[in-house]
Amino acid sequence: MDQIRIRGGKPLTGSIAIGGAKNAALPLMTAALLTDETLTLRNVPVLADITTLEHLLVQHGATITMVGAQSANERGHALALNAKRVVSTTAPYDLVRKMRASVLVLGPLLARCGEARVSLPGGCAIGTRPVDLHVKGMEKLGAKIELRQGYIEAQAPHGLRGAEIVFPMVSVGATENLLMAASLAEGETVLINAAREPEIVDLAVCLNKMGAQISGAGNERIVITGVKKLHGAEHSVVPDRIETGTYLMAAAITGGDVELLGARYDLVAAVAKSLEGAGVEAIETATGLRVRRSNGRLTGIDVMTEPFPGFPTDLQAQMMALMSTAEGASMITETIFENRFMHVPELCRMGANINVHGASAMVRGVAHLNGAPVMATDLRASVSLVLAGLAAEGETIVNRIYHLDRGYERLEEKLAACGADIERLSDE
Ligand code: EPZ
C-alpha cells in the first residue's frame, strides 16, 4: 500500500489551488437521477469518493462523460451526467458500504421512480452515524418504508406529497436527501432546523437551475414547492472549504506564507476567526485567501465543533495538530460525532500532549513534534497527521493513505510545490 513520507520543518510558501468541494459534488451528482436530461457539473474534484459514486450512478443506469475545457478558475474536471433511463433502483451494499454519501440516491430515486432500495450504510470510523432522519423524512413525504435485510426499502407508487418536516437535530445529508425528494413531490414542503452548510446552498442553487422551486437554503427554514419535472442544467461546484481550512492550517503549522487560490473567506469565516485568535492571519486577496503566521509561536485557543456557520467537525483533527505545537493549552470539543478523536493516539506518538475527557480533548502545546510512522482510520484524521509531519522534526511516514485520496486531490504535489519535503512512496 502507498505511503507518504514527510521530512518536516520546511515553512510552506507559494500558492495552492483549491478545488471544488467533495461534499458538494457528491449530492450534486446524485441530483442527476432526478431528471432524464443532462446535468453538467464543472469544478468536480478528482477524488476516489467521486469515482465510487460514479460507479453507483452508472449501476443505476446513468451515463457519465468528461466534457470540454473549464474556465481558468475551475479545477478538477467537468462531468456530464445523464440518467435518461434508470435501470435499477437498488443501491447495493457493496457500493454503499464504501461510502456513506451513497445514501443520497434514496431521495432522487424515490421521487423520480416511486421506489428505492438502498443498503443501510452501517457505522464507520467516526461514529455510529444512523440514517433515521433520512428515513423519517421520506415517510413524512408519504413513502412507505421498511427496513429489511440491511436495506431501506421505500415505496411511493403514487408519488411523494409535500409536508412539514422538523429535524430534531441538524443533519447535512438528511437535509440534502429531502431537498431532492421534495423537489418532485406534490405541493409544498417546509424543512425546519435544516442544515445551513454551503454545500446545501450549492445543491439548492443547482436544483433551482434544474427547474426546482426552493427558497431559504442557507437558513434553518427551507421551503420547497414541488414541480412535476426537472430538466438539465449546468453548474460549477462551490470551492472546498475543508480543503481550504486544511491548507490554512498547513501554512500556519509550518510558519509559512501561502495564498489559497479560489478560496472564499465567507466559507471559512469561523475557522479564520479562530486562527486569528491563535496568531494566524488569513486575509482576502483578489484571487483567494492569504495565510501567514503573524509572529512567533502560536497561542492555544479553545474550539468547539458545531454545524455551519460554526467551526466544522471536518477541521477538528487538523486544528488539534495545529494546537499541539501552540504555546499554552487548548480545549477542543467535538459535538457532532461521538468518536472523532482517533488521531489523538497517533499525534501523541509524535510527541503531542493530549488528554481526552469525553467529548473534549485538552491539548497542551509542546515545543516541537517528532516524526514517526503513523496511520489513521479516516480522511480528516489522516490529513491531521500529514500536518503534524510537516511541522515535526525528522521523518514521518503516513500509512493507509487511501483515506487521503478520498478527499484531497494531489495533496503531496500541492504541498511539495510550496516547499514541503513530501513524497508518495508507491509499493509497485
Ligand atoms: C456530512 O456527513 C459530511 N459528508 C461529513 O463529512 C461531515 O463531517 C458531516 O456532514 C457534518 O458536517 C458529506 O457531506 C458527504 P450529518 P453527514 O448527517 O451528512 C447524526 C468528511 O470528512 N445523524 O450532518 O453524514 C450523525 O450521526 C465527512 O468529508 C443522525 O443521528 O452528517 C451525526 O452525529 C465525514 N441521524 C450528526 O447527525 C441521521 O439520520 C450530523 O451528521 C443523520 C445524522
Side-chain angles (χ1 to χ4, degrees):
M1 250 184 274
D2 289 3
Q3 299 173 315
I4 280 183
R5 178 168 64 202
I6 305 162
R7 295 190 183 96
K10 302 256 183 342
L12 297 182
T13 51
S15 61
I16 295 177
I18 298 302
K22 164 180 85 80
N23 289 347
L26 295 170
L28 286 165
M29 289 167 71
T30 66
L33 293 172
L34 287 164
T35 172
D36 58 6
E37 295 181 18
T38 300
L39 174 64
T40 302
L41 296 176
R42 302 185 168 278
N43 204 31
V44 178
V46 181
L47 297 169
D49 274 7
I50 300 291
T51 311
T52 302
L53 186 60
E54 283 178 9
H55 290 151
L56 180 60
L57 295 176
V58 165
Q59 186 269 159
H60 289 306
T63 56
I64 304 178
T65 43
M66 282 226 251
V67 289
Q70 311 200 87
S71 72
N73 54 5
E74 288 175 324
R75 332 266 169 211
H77 52 206
L79 296 179
L81 302 103
N82 183 290
K84 197 173 180 55
R85 283 191 332 116
V86 175
V87 297
S88 162
T89 52
T90 296
Y93 175 65
D94 270 357
L95 288 169
V96 177
R97 78 182 161 82
K98 281 193 190 156
M99 189 184 61
R100 295 181 52 86
S102 308
V103 81
L104 293 173
V105 300
L106 175 66
L109 288 174
L110 188 57
R112 166 110 178 264
C113 310
E115 59 171 40
R117 192 168 166 268
V118 178
S119 172
L120 283 162
C124 75
I126 60 177
T128 48
R129 300 183 75 184
V131 288
D132 55 316
L133 303 177
H134 303 238
V135 169
K136 284 186 190 131
M138 298 302 162
E139 283 175 337
K140 274 270 184 183
L141 296 183
K144 293 271 167 294
I145 299 195
E146 285 189 60
L147 302 181
R148 243 200 310 246
Q149 294 173 328
Y151 277 78
I152 304 167
E153 296 192 351
Q155 299 280 336
H158 308 296
L160 298 169
R161 280 184 324 275
E164 182 178 279
I165 297 169
V166 184
F167 293 110
M169 65 194 288
V170 176
S171 163
V172 175
T175 303
E176 291 166 344
N177 233 338
L178 284 152
L179 259 185
M180 292 189 278
S183 293
L184 285 180
E186 196 186 316
E188 188 178 274
T189 298
V190 183
L191 303 181
I192 294 169
N193 198 25
R196 293 183 281 164
E197 270 64 7
E199 294 76 24
I200 305 281
V201 177
D202 207 37
L203 176 63
V205 167
C206 179
L207 290 170
N208 282 345
K209 286 181 192 166
M210 295 167 72
Q213 289 183 22
I214 301 170
S215 60
N219 300 307
E220 60 97 40
R221 185 174 185 274
I222 304 179
V223 180
I224 306 129
T225 307
V227 296
K228 286 215 151 43
K229 219 171 152 13
L230 293 175
H231 51 72
E234 201 168 313
H235 183 76
S236 182
V237 179
V238 69
D240 195 321
R241 64 197 167 94
I242 306 302
E243 188 189 30
T244 301
T246 301
Y247 289 124
L248 282 176
M249 293 182 204
I253 203 169
T254 62
D257 184 347
V258 174
E259 186 177 8
L260 303 179
L261 302 172
R264 267 174 44 192
Y265 186 91
D266 60 313
L267 302 179
V268 290
V271 178
K273 289 201 182 95
S274 296
L275 289 180
E276 207 177 291
V280 181
E281 224 176 52
I283 39 173
E284 276 185 282
T285 63
T287 40
L289 261 181
R290 180 174 171 195
V291 54
R292 63 178 171 205
R293 196 139 105 193
S294 323
N295 48 44
R297 215 170 137 195
L298 298 168
T299 314
I301 51 153
D302 294 347
V303 165
M304 185 186 284
T305 63
E306 285 171 334
F308 192 84
F311 192 98
T313 172
D314 291 347
L315 287 171
Q316 178 259 108
Q318 301 88 316
M319 189 67 185
M320 198 176 298
L322 186 65
M323 290 293 97
S324 296
T325 63
E327 186 129 29
S330 157
M331 176 79 90
I332 298 187
T333 304
E334 171 61 52
T335 72
I336 310 291
F337 292 110
E338 70 271 23
N339 185 27
R340 214 174 192 183
F341 283 145
M342 292 87 55
H343 40 285
V344 170
E346 297 299 293
L347 288 171
C348 289
R349 293 184 57 247
M350 298 179 72
N353 180 351
I354 307 171
N355 286 298
V356 174
H357 307 276
S360 294
M362 171 59 80
V363 187
R364 293 188 175 85
V366 293
H368 57 258
L369 296 170
N370 301 304
V374 286
M375 70 164 83
T377 42
D378 90 291
L379 166 60
R380 311 302 173 185
S382 301
V383 86
S384 77
L385 302 175
V386 171
L387 300 196
L390 291 173
E393 285 177 6
E395 186 176 281
T396 296
I397 302 277
V398 184
N399 293 289
R400 294 204 186 156
I401 60 167
Y402 55 84
H403 290 299
L404 291 170
D405 294 331
R406 291 185 60 177
Y408 291 94
E409 189 175 338
R410 297 182 294 104
L411 172 89
E412 69 279 12
E413 280 176 43
K414 290 185 182 187
L415 289 170
C418 288
D421 186 346
I422 179 169
E423 64 179 329
R424 183 178 288 246
L425 308 174
S426 296
D427 57 1
E428 298 105 305

